[in-house]
C-alpha cells in the first residue's frame, strides 16, 4: 500500500467514525424526544386534551 493510499484509508476511517458518532448522537436524541412525546401525550389524556394527528414532514 502506498503512502497516498494509506492516508486516503485513514481519512475514510476518520470520516466513518465521525458519521458513526453523529448517528449515535442522533439516535439518543430521538430516543429522548420520544420519551418527552409520550409524557406529553399521557398528560393530554389525563386532562382530556385531544391530540391532533401528527403528520411527519416528507423527505426530499
Amino acid at each position: 500500500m502506498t503512502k497516498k493510499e494509506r492516508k486516503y484509508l485513514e481519512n475514510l476511517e476518520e470520516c466513518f467514525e465521525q458519521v458513526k458518532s453523529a448517528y449515535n448522537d442522533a439516535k439518543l436524541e430521538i430516543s429522548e424526544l420520544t420519551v418527552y412525546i409520550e409524557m406529553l401525550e399521557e398528560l393530554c389524556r389525563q386532562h382530556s386534551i385531544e391530540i391532533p394527528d401528527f403528520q411527519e414532514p416528507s423527505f426530499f
Side-chain angles (χ1 to χ4, degrees):
M1 185 179 296
T2 67
K3 187 175 181 178
K4 186 176 182 178
E5 290 172 327
R6 191 174 303 119
K7 185 66 177 167
Y8 180 74
L9 183 58
E10 288 172 3
N11 288 340
L12 283 177
E13 289 172 349
E14 183 180 326
C15 182
F16 175 75
E17 289 301 319
Q18 290 174 355
V19 169
K20 190 167 90 171
S21 177
Y23 173 77
N24 287 331
D25 291 346
K27 274 180 47 177
L28 179 59
E29 188 172 343
I30 289 169
S31 191
E32 291 172 354
L33 290 171
T34 301
V35 170
Y36 290 132
I37 289 170
E38 290 170 358
M39 289 170 46
L40 288 170
E41 287 174 340
E42 182 59 30
L43 281 172
C44 288
R45 274 190 223 96
Q46 289 175 3
H47 296 283
S48 301
I49 298 171
E50 191 173 321
I51 303 168
D53 288 338
F54 176 74
Q55 294 180 351
E56 294 186 23
S58 60
F59 292 97
F60 299 100

